[in-house]
Amino acid sequence: MDQCFINSFEGIKLGEYGDIYKSIKQNEGNPAVSLIRYIILLTRCSMEEEDGIKAFAKGKFVDEIEIPASDVER
């Protein structure tokens, strides 16, 4: 895995959170933005919040989910 590091996903630059959100703002129309925001929210949430976050996304396409801001996005 250490040889498979990616530095972008669908045109969104990855790295430090600040860099990710800067890239997201430059690519707001990119469909990958919702997925990246959801993944960040899910990985940054507390264990108590995890089931709720999964529940509001279950059965929906990622572009149908209203994703709240994570702590690092706020």
Side-chain angles (χ1 to χ4, degrees):
M1 285 185 62
D2 63 346
Q3 296 175 1
C4 297
F5 182 78
I6 60 170
N7 57 11
S8 69
F9 176 74
E10 295 295 320
I12 305 294
K13 292 180 183 171
L14 304 176
E16 300 291 325
Y17 287 118
D19 296 333
I20 294 171
Y21 285 111
K22 182 179 177 183
S23 186
I24 283 173
K25 287 182 191 242
Q26 294 171 346
N27 294 282
E28 289 180 354
N30 187 324
V33 166
S34 296
L35 179 59
I36 292 169
R37 287 186 62 238
Y38 180 73
I39 291 168
I40 291 171
L41 177 66
L42 191 58
T43 59
R44 300 283 305 178
C45 73
S46 69
M47 295 298 285
E48 294 81 25
E49 297 171 308
E50 184 179 337
D51 288 338
I53 291 170
K54 289 178 183 177
F56 76 72
K58 187 175 183 177
K60 298 178 185 172
F61 292 105
V62 72
D63 63 344
E64 298 174 334
I65 307 166
E66 187 155 336
I67 302 166
S70 66
D71 62 331
V72 294
E73 190 174 1
R74 285 178 281 205

